[in-house]
Amino acid sequence: MIVWINGAFSAGKTSAACELIDLIPNSTFYDPELIGGGLRGLLPQKKLAEVTDIQDLPIWRRLVVDTAAALLAELSGVLVVPMTLLRQDYRDEIFGGLASRRIPVRHVLLSPEETILRRRIAEREECVDDPEHSERIRQWAYAHIEPYRAALGWITADAHTIDTSALTPYETAERIAEALRTGEAGECGIVQTPAPRAETVASGVLLFDEQDRVLLVDPTYKPGWEFPGGVVERGEAPAQAGVREVAEELGLRLDTVLRLLVVDWEAPKPPAYGGLRFLFDGGRLRGEQAARLLLPGSELRAWRFVTEEEASGMLPPTRFERLRWALRARERSTVLNLEAGVPVGGR
């Protein structure tokens, strides 16, 4: 299990984590900052210069997950992780990666009053012998108060929140330990999808509204928007997998025969395995059908009908290219259907 202690910079996460490992038997302190320090020594400066925050590097997020899994395989027990996560997609990626390895996460937020937080930042001395470095750290912490405020909506919905304004680090650790013991700090509900061990076959379904906009969904377990769909199970027909996934993800039972639009090979690109990708036309949804769409909170965060132009800024490049090919194939099919005297959409 992982106890992830979140909060603004200078909220007292590390101090509380150090106290907490004395209260939880068989627990280990794990600081992902060490991953960042290692990458700063390993990656070329040109690569590091591409980002302003080490968390923006995909390799950092992957290594945080892989290192946690390796530590638990070696040590078992509980990892206590003090780490600020202010971007929901990064939380999704990291917690989803842990969930795929069957590692449960208990998410805790330390939330002192802002006046207390600012006072702690002002009193922070990172390096006594280097006042300029300490001042840079303080300014970094001040600059992240606003992003922290902006992230509170999703963090408080996800994490067990503890007001630490009047608490010492030890008292904070006691509150965390008690919340874990009682179940108040429950397991994060990120979908538990086993990581693939080889190439996969996956089916996506394109659903359209009455304005011919396409439906995209926002998964909690990986970055970027996606089409409804998922991995084809052993012995399952790809089209049937698409029907099943739409029912599971959106609560929508399709009563039409899916029409194949695109077959694509996604080349393996470590750490992903790639595989065969199908895209099917699931037809148009009437307004009342769209109004009844349901999302499993542990797997999908949102859905939205979008134009092709809007999709270009939401889908990762490979998925968007697949969508473009599918839309062109659908247009050609519609023309052929019209010439044959079949109603638009082939339904």
Coordinates of all heavy atoms in Angstrom, one line a residue, residues 261-300:
L261 N -14.3 1.2 -39.5 CA -13.8 2.3 -40.2 C -12.3 2.3 -40.4 O -11.8 2.6 -41.5 CB -14.2 3.6 -39.5 CG -15.6 4.0 -39.4 CD1 -15.8 5.2 -38.5 CD2 -16.3 4.2 -40.7
V262 N -11.6 1.9 -39.4 CA -10.1 1.9 -39.4 C -9.5 0.7 -38.7 O -10.0 0.3 -37.7 CB -9.6 3.2 -38.8 CG1 -8.0 3.1 -38.5 CG2 -9.9 4.4 -39.6
V263 N -8.5 0.1 -39.3 CA -7.6 -0.9 -38.7 C -6.2 -0.3 -38.7 O -5.7 0.0 -39.8 CB -7.7 -2.3 -39.4 CG1 -6.7 -3.2 -38.7 CG2 -9.1 -2.8 -39.5
D264 N -5.6 -0.2 -37.5 CA -4.3 0.5 -37.4 C -3.4 -0.4 -36.6 O -3.8 -1.0 -35.6 CB -4.5 1.9 -36.8 CG -3.2 2.7 -36.8 OD1 -2.3 2.4 -37.7 OD2 -3.0 3.5 -36.0
W265 N -2.1 -0.4 -37.0 CA -1.1 -1.1 -36.1 C -0.3 0.0 -35.4 O 0.3 0.9 -36.0 CB -0.1 -1.9 -37.0 CG 1.1 -2.4 -36.2 CD1 2.3 -1.9 -36.3 CD2 1.1 -3.4 -35.2 NE1 3.2 -2.6 -35.4 CE2 2.4 -3.5 -34.8 CE3 0.1 -4.2 -34.7 CZ2 2.8 -4.4 -33.8 CZ3 0.5 -5.2 -33.8 CH2 1.8 -5.2 -33.3
E266 N -0.4 -0.1 -34.0 CA 0.4 0.9 -33.2 C 1.7 0.2 -32.8 O 1.7 -0.8 -32.1 CB -0.4 1.2 -31.9 CG 0.1 2.3 -31.1 CD -0.8 2.7 -30.0 OE1 -1.9 3.2 -30.3 OE2 -0.5 2.5 -28.8
A267 N 2.8 0.7 -33.3 CA 4.1 0.1 -33.1 C 4.5 0.2 -31.6 O 4.1 1.1 -30.9 CB 5.1 0.8 -33.9
P268 N 5.1 -0.9 -31.1 CA 5.6 -0.9 -29.7 C 6.5 0.3 -29.5 O 7.5 0.5 -30.3 CB 6.3 -2.2 -29.6 CG 5.7 -3.1 -30.6 CD 5.4 -2.2 -31.8
K269 N 6.3 1.0 -28.4 CA 7.2 2.1 -28.1 C 7.3 2.1 -26.5 O 6.4 2.6 -25.8 CB 6.6 3.5 -28.5 CG 7.5 4.7 -28.3 CD 6.9 6.0 -28.8 CE 7.8 7.1 -28.5 NZ 7.2 8.4 -29.0
P270 N 8.4 1.5 -26.0 CA 8.5 1.3 -24.6 C 8.2 2.6 -23.8 O 8.6 3.7 -24.3 CB 10.0 0.9 -24.4 CG 10.3 0.3 -25.7 CD 9.6 1.0 -26.8
P271 N 7.5 2.5 -22.7 CA 7.1 1.3 -22.0 C 5.8 0.6 -22.6 O 5.4 -0.4 -22.1 CB 6.9 1.7 -20.6 CG 6.4 3.1 -20.7 CD 7.1 3.7 -21.9
A272 N 5.1 1.2 -23.6 CA 3.9 0.7 -24.2 C 4.3 -0.5 -25.1 O 5.3 -0.4 -25.8 CB 3.1 1.8 -24.9
Y273 N 3.3 -1.4 -25.2 CA 3.5 -2.6 -26.1 C 2.9 -2.4 -27.5 O 3.3 -3.1 -28.4 CB 3.0 -3.8 -25.5 CG 3.8 -4.4 -24.4 CD1 3.6 -4.1 -23.0 CD2 4.8 -5.3 -24.6 CE1 4.4 -4.6 -22.0 CE2 5.6 -5.8 -23.6 CZ 5.4 -5.5 -22.3 OH 6.1 -6.0 -21.3
G274 N 2.0 -1.5 -27.6 CA 1.4 -1.3 -28.9 C 0.4 -2.4 -29.2 O 0.0 -3.2 -28.4
G275 N 0.1 -2.6 -30.5 CA -0.8 -3.6 -31.0 C -1.8 -3.2 -32.0 O -1.6 -2.1 -32.6
L276 N -2.8 -4.0 -32.3 CA -3.8 -3.7 -33.3 C -4.9 -2.9 -32.8 O -5.4 -3.1 -31.7 CB -4.3 -5.1 -33.8 CG -4.9 -5.1 -35.2 CD1 -3.9 -4.7 -36.3 CD2 -5.4 -6.5 -35.5
R277 N -5.3 -1.9 -33.5 CA -6.4 -0.9 -33.1 C -7.5 -0.9 -34.1 O -7.2 -0.6 -35.3 CB -5.8 0.5 -32.9 CG -4.6 0.5 -31.9 CD -5.0 0.2 -30.5 NE -3.9 0.2 -29.5 CZ -3.4 -0.9 -29.0 NH1 -3.8 -2.1 -29.3 NH2 -2.4 -0.7 -28.1
F278 N -8.7 -1.1 -33.7 CA -9.9 -1.0 -34.5 C -10.7 0.2 -34.1 O -10.8 0.5 -32.9 CB -10.8 -2.2 -34.4 CG -10.2 -3.5 -34.9 CD1 -9.4 -4.3 -34.0 CD2 -10.4 -4.0 -36.2 CE1 -8.9 -5.5 -34.5 CE2 -9.9 -5.1 -36.6 CZ -9.1 -5.9 -35.8
L279 N -11.3 0.9 -35.1 CA -12.2 2.0 -34.8 C -13.5 1.7 -35.6 O -13.5 1.5 -36.8 CB -11.7 3.4 -35.3 CG -11.0 4.2 -34.2 CD1 -10.6 5.6 -34.8 CD2 -11.8 4.4 -33.0
F280 N -14.6 1.7 -34.9 CA -15.9 1.4 -35.5 C -16.8 2.6 -35.4 O -16.7 3.5 -34.5 CB -16.6 0.2 -34.7 CG -15.9 -1.1 -34.8 CD1 -14.9 -1.5 -33.9 CD2 -16.2 -2.0 -35.8 CE1 -14.3 -2.7 -34.0 CE2 -15.6 -3.2 -35.9 CZ -14.6 -3.6 -35.0
D281 N -17.8 2.6 -36.4 CA -18.8 3.7 -36.4 C -20.0 3.1 -35.6 O -20.6 2.1 -35.9 CB -19.2 4.0 -37.8 CG -20.3 5.1 -37.9 OD1 -20.7 5.6 -36.8 OD2 -20.6 5.4 -39.0
G282 N -20.3 3.8 -34.4 CA -21.4 3.4 -33.6 C -22.7 4.1 -33.9 O -23.7 3.9 -33.2
G283 N -22.6 5.1 -34.9 CA -23.9 5.8 -35.2 C -24.1 7.0 -34.4 O -23.3 7.4 -33.6
R284 N -25.3 7.6 -34.7 CA -25.6 8.9 -34.0 C -26.4 8.6 -32.7 O -27.3 7.7 -32.7 CB -26.5 9.8 -34.9 CG -25.7 10.4 -36.0 CD -26.5 11.5 -36.7 NE -25.8 12.1 -37.8 CZ -25.8 11.7 -39.0 NH1 -26.6 10.7 -39.4 NH2 -25.1 12.3 -40.0
L285 N -26.2 9.4 -31.7 CA -27.0 9.4 -30.5 C -28.0 10.5 -30.5 O -27.7 11.6 -30.8 CB -26.1 9.5 -29.3 CG -25.0 8.5 -29.0 CD1 -24.3 8.7 -27.7 CD2 -25.6 7.1 -29.0
R286 N -29.3 10.2 -30.2 CA -30.3 11.2 -30.1 C -30.1 12.0 -28.8 O -29.4 11.5 -27.9 CB -31.7 10.6 -30.1 CG -32.0 9.9 -31.5 CD -33.4 9.3 -31.5 NE -33.6 8.4 -30.4 CZ -33.3 7.1 -30.4 NH1 -32.8 6.6 -31.5 NH2 -33.6 6.3 -29.4
G287 N -30.6 13.1 -28.7 CA -30.4 14.0 -27.5 C -30.8 13.3 -26.2 O -30.0 13.4 -25.3
E288 N -31.9 12.5 -26.2 CA -32.3 11.8 -25.0 C -31.3 10.7 -24.6 O -31.1 10.4 -23.5 CB -33.7 11.3 -25.1 CG -33.9 10.3 -26.2 CD -34.3 10.9 -27.5 OE1 -34.0 12.1 -27.7 OE2 -34.9 10.2 -28.4
Q289 N -30.7 10.1 -25.7 CA -29.7 9.0 -25.4 C -28.5 9.7 -24.7 O -27.9 9.1 -23.8 CB -29.3 8.3 -26.7 CG -30.4 7.4 -27.3 CD -29.9 6.8 -28.6 OE1 -29.6 7.5 -29.5 NE2 -29.8 5.5 -28.6
A290 N -28.0 10.8 -25.3 CA -26.8 11.4 -24.7 C -27.1 11.9 -23.3 O -26.2 11.8 -22.4 CB -26.4 12.6 -25.6
A291 N -28.3 12.3 -23.0 CA -28.6 12.8 -21.7 C -28.6 11.7 -20.6 O -28.4 11.9 -19.4 CB -30.0 13.4 -21.7
R292 N -28.7 10.4 -21.1 CA -28.7 9.3 -20.2 C -27.3 8.6 -20.0 O -27.2 7.6 -19.3 CB -29.7 8.2 -20.6 CG -31.1 8.6 -20.6 CD -32.0 7.4 -20.6 NE -31.9 6.7 -21.8 CZ -32.6 6.9 -23.0 NH1 -33.5 7.8 -23.0 NH2 -32.4 6.1 -24.0
L293 N -26.3 9.2 -20.6 CA -24.9 8.6 -20.5 C -24.5 8.7 -19.0 O -24.6 9.7 -18.4 CB -23.9 9.4 -21.4 CG -24.1 9.2 -22.9 CD1 -23.1 10.0 -23.6 CD2 -24.1 7.8 -23.3
L294 N -23.9 7.6 -18.6 CA -23.4 7.5 -17.2 C -21.9 7.2 -17.2 O -21.4 6.4 -18.1 CB -24.1 6.4 -16.4 CG -25.7 6.5 -16.3 CD1 -26.3 5.2 -15.7 CD2 -26.0 7.7 -15.5
L295 N -21.2 7.7 -16.3 CA -19.7 7.5 -16.2 C -19.3 6.8 -15.0 O -19.8 7.2 -13.9 CB -18.9 8.8 -16.3 CG -19.1 9.7 -17.6 CD1 -18.2 10.9 -17.4 CD2 -18.6 8.9 -18.8
P296 N -18.5 5.7 -15.1 CA -18.0 5.1 -13.8 C -16.8 6.0 -13.3 O -15.8 6.2 -14.0 CB -17.4 3.8 -14.3 CG -17.1 4.0 -15.8 CD -18.1 5.0 -16.3
G297 N -17.0 6.6 -12.2 CA -16.1 7.6 -11.7 C -14.6 7.1 -11.5 O -13.7 7.9 -11.6
S298 N -14.5 5.8 -11.3 CA -13.1 5.2 -11.2 C -12.4 5.1 -12.5 O -11.2 4.9 -12.5 CB -13.2 3.9 -10.5 OG -13.9 3.0 -11.4
E299 N -13.1 5.2 -13.6 CA -12.5 5.0 -14.9 C -12.5 6.2 -15.8 O -11.5 6.5 -16.5 CB -13.1 3.8 -15.6 CG -12.4 3.3 -16.9 CD -13.0 2.0 -17.4 OE1 -13.8 1.4 -16.7 OE2 -12.5 1.6 -18.4
L300 N -13.6 6.9 -15.9 CA -13.8 8.0 -16.8 C -14.2 9.3 -16.0 O -15.1 9.2 -15.1 CB -14.8 7.8 -17.8 CG -14.5 6.6 -18.8 CD1 -15.7 6.4 -19.8 CD2 -13.2 6.8 -19.6

